[in-house]
Amino acid sequence: MNEYIPPTLLAPYSPHYRMSLTVGEHSAAPIRRIARSLLEEWEMRALTEATELALTELLANVVRHVPDRRCTLLILRQQDGVRVEVTDGNPHHPLPLSGLPLDAEHGRGLHLLDAVTDKWGVSPAPGDGKTVWFECH
């Protein structure tokens, strides 16, 4: 399900894009293009790099940690930036790992999220799932 509500149909700073999908190894690239397109339309090009990087990390976590790989993506325009939410059915909340060796191939994602976004967090979702979200301003 894809749902884009044009800015003319919503109050100022309310446009959003919602998509329910099953992600795979190569899903991030087309989803980044959607995010980039929305940020361009909303005249928020300066947020593109951070948003794409953080979104890629959230999608990779769904691929790695959610057995059915199903999720819902919400990209929401805010007055001073963008909020991205990825909701899945896995009840386990991600935790940042500490003490990783410099050459570790996994476990750095939440540290990356913290470095490139202004805020991020995890919220319970209906049922047994969770929503991992971030904001860029």
Side-chain angles (χ1 to χ4, degrees):
M1 168 183 76
N2 295 333
E3 174 189 8
Y4 174 69
I5 300 176
T8 56
L9 300 179
L10 296 170
Y13 308 112
S14 296
H16 72 277
Y17 180 88
R18 182 185 312 269
M19 176 175 27
S20 295
L21 66 157
T22 302
V23 292
E25 301 293 331
H26 303 287
S27 298
I31 296 169
R32 282 194 307 265
R33 282 193 294 273
I34 291 168
R36 184 179 321 120
S37 175
L38 291 168
L39 290 169
E40 287 176 9
E41 182 178 326
W42 298 338
E43 299 179 359
M44 296 182 178
R45 288 178 187 88
L47 303 179
T48 301
E49 187 174 327
T51 300
E52 287 184 6
L53 188 56
L55 177 57
T56 299
E57 181 55 38
L58 295 189
L59 295 171
N61 284 343
V62 171
V63 170
R64 281 188 208 108
H65 303 294
V66 178
D68 66 5
R69 295 184 172 186
R70 292 173 45 187
C71 66
T72 299
L73 167 67
L74 173 65
I75 303 174
L76 177 66
R77 179 179 174 175
Q78 298 180 315
Q79 185 169 3
D80 61 345
V82 65
R83 179 180 173 104
V84 176
E85 300 180 358
V86 176
T87 302
D88 63 55
N90 186 335
H92 300 290
H93 289 213
L95 298 172
L97 301 175
S98 59
L100 292 171
L102 293 175
D103 61 349
E105 292 184 23
H106 300 288
R108 298 183 180 279
L110 296 179
H111 297 290
L112 176 70
L113 195 63
D114 194 49
V116 301
T117 66
D118 292 295
K119 292 191 326 188
W120 72 273
V122 183
S123 305
D128 289 333
K130 68 180 173 305
T131 298
V132 183
W133 58 269
F134 67 84
E135 294 180 2
C136 294
H137 305 282

